[in-house]
Amino acid sequence: MAASGQGDKLARLAGALALALLLHGGPAAAQPAPLKIYGMENKPTSFLHDGRPDGLAVELVARIQERLGRPERMEIIPWTRANALARAEPNVLLAVLVRTPEREAILDFVGPVFTTRVSAYVVKGRLDELRRADPGLHKVRAGGQRSTVFVSLPRRMGYNVTDEVTTAETAAKMLMSRRFDLWFVAEELMPASMERAGYRPDAVELAFNLAVDGVYFAFSKGTPAATVAAWADALRDMKRDGSFLKIHQKWLPATQLPADVAAPPQLSPPR
């Protein structure tokens, strides 16, 4: 009888385990494939500080991963490599980039994380000179970072983008050395890019803004829908509980908050 009772107990345990595996998809489903998270050298969103990743996107990634109980952290690599990996492999996250119709065909987006203006800059003091020769600045030689919206958008709008470079820092150097006359870049990336190139940010002046766009987390196709949904839920929760706002305030002005996050009230000046 004892043996029979023990057998019945084992049978019940085996049945319970089988039911759990059926309901939850088995051990493999409980441990999703590792996520490869890449950022680019684009201060203040992601950059290396004393050899370690830092910036708005890096902090957001770390907080979301903590909420999800996941160990992966962001790696800073060249944009061209990150872009190629996201096109070739599943389970790749690019943090962060502008959402465009072209990219929606090859990436799944979560966000927005912030808004940005695609801006055009010239060497300070040259704007009137350039406009006298070309009022719309469509013919002057322009440059921007390769495989980014800073090249594709102005080209689509009829600007003469002749030079594609690997980094915003290189673009800043080429602008200042008159290799081209018009530099397309995100407004938040310009100051640090100029400083890394060895110039003060006020050595350039704004010619015009092209567009305001949303900046998102972008997942490669083939990444499990559950992973993308978990990130969307975690980011939404951070926006609701105020932790997202604290990180955003540290790195970017309130004007670049996404539409689904309210700007904090301005404090009255002391009397």
Side-chain angles (χ1 to χ4, degrees):
M1 292 293 293
S4 176
Q6 184 69 13
D8 290 343
K9 183 177 180 181
L10 290 174
R12 287 195 298 270
L13 288 173
L17 178 59
L19 179 60
L21 293 178
L22 178 63
L23 292 175
H24 299 290
Q31 294 296 326
L35 193 63
K36 290 162 279 191
I37 308 172
Y38 299 123
M40 289 62 72
E41 185 68 36
N42 283 330
K43 188 176 182 180
T45 56
S46 59
F47 60 99
L48 289 176
H49 180 213
D50 293 334
R52 302 183 65 179
D54 200 2
L56 177 139
V58 176
E59 287 198 29
L60 285 175
V61 165
R63 299 293 84 77
I64 289 173
Q65 288 288 77
E66 287 174 4
R67 290 175 180 237
L68 299 179
R70 299 295 301 170
E72 304 94 340
R73 292 295 180 262
M74 185 188 292
E75 180 183 354
I76 306 296
I77 65 174
W79 160 245
T80 51
R81 181 183 166 207
N83 187 40
L85 289 170
R87 290 171 178 267
E89 303 176 8
N91 299 301
V92 172
L93 167 59
L94 303 181
V96 288
L97 75 164
V98 173
R99 182 173 184 169
T100 66
E102 296 85 356
R103 288 171 174 170
E104 287 177 349
I106 59 173
L107 297 165
D108 293 319
F109 289 89
V110 166
V113 176
F114 62 92
T115 61
T116 186
R117 284 181 293 196
V118 179
S119 302
Y121 294 91
V122 300
V123 173
K124 190 171 185 178
R126 293 203 68 207
L127 185 55
D128 289 343
E129 168 198 344
L130 293 170
R131 280 184 170 158
R132 281 195 297 270
D134 179 15
L137 300 181
H138 282 87
K139 297 179 182 178
V140 300
R141 188 166 177 167
Q145 192 172 357
R146 182 179 302 137
S147 301
T148 67
V149 69
F150 314 128
V151 168
S152 61
L153 178 61
R155 275 189 178 151
R156 190 162 62 244
M157 298 179 72
Y159 292 94
N160 182 33
V161 182
T162 56
D163 294 79
E164 297 185 48
V165 297
T166 55
T167 68
E169 175 185 342
T170 301
K173 290 179 179 178
M174 291 180 68
L175 177 76
M176 297 306 296
S177 62
R178 310 292 180 93
R179 299 274 297 279
F180 51 72
D181 301 307
L182 198 61
W183 173 30
F184 290 102
V185 68
E187 59 180 337
E188 72 277 355
L189 304 183
M190 183 277 288
S193 300
M194 286 291 290
E195 289 170 354
R196 288 197 304 271
Y199 300 95
R200 289 169 53 94
D202 60 8
V204 298
E205 61 181 308
L206 178 68
F208 55 86
N209 294 311
L210 277 185
V212 176
D213 292 291
V215 181
Y216 290 71
F217 293 120
F219 295 81
S220 61
K221 292 297 184 182
T223 302
T227 298
V228 179
W231 270 72
D233 291 343
L235 181 61
R236 190 179 304 113
D237 289 344
M238 289 185 67
K239 289 178 176 180
R240 288 172 178 165
D241 65 24
S243 54
F244 173 90
L245 181 59
K246 289 181 180 178
I247 295 174
H248 189 281
Q249 285 180 302
K250 178 178 177 180
W251 296 103
L252 293 174
T255 54
Q256 291 188 252
L257 276 168
D260 57 353
V261 179
Q266 297 295 315
L267 296 177
S268 300
R271 295 180 180 275

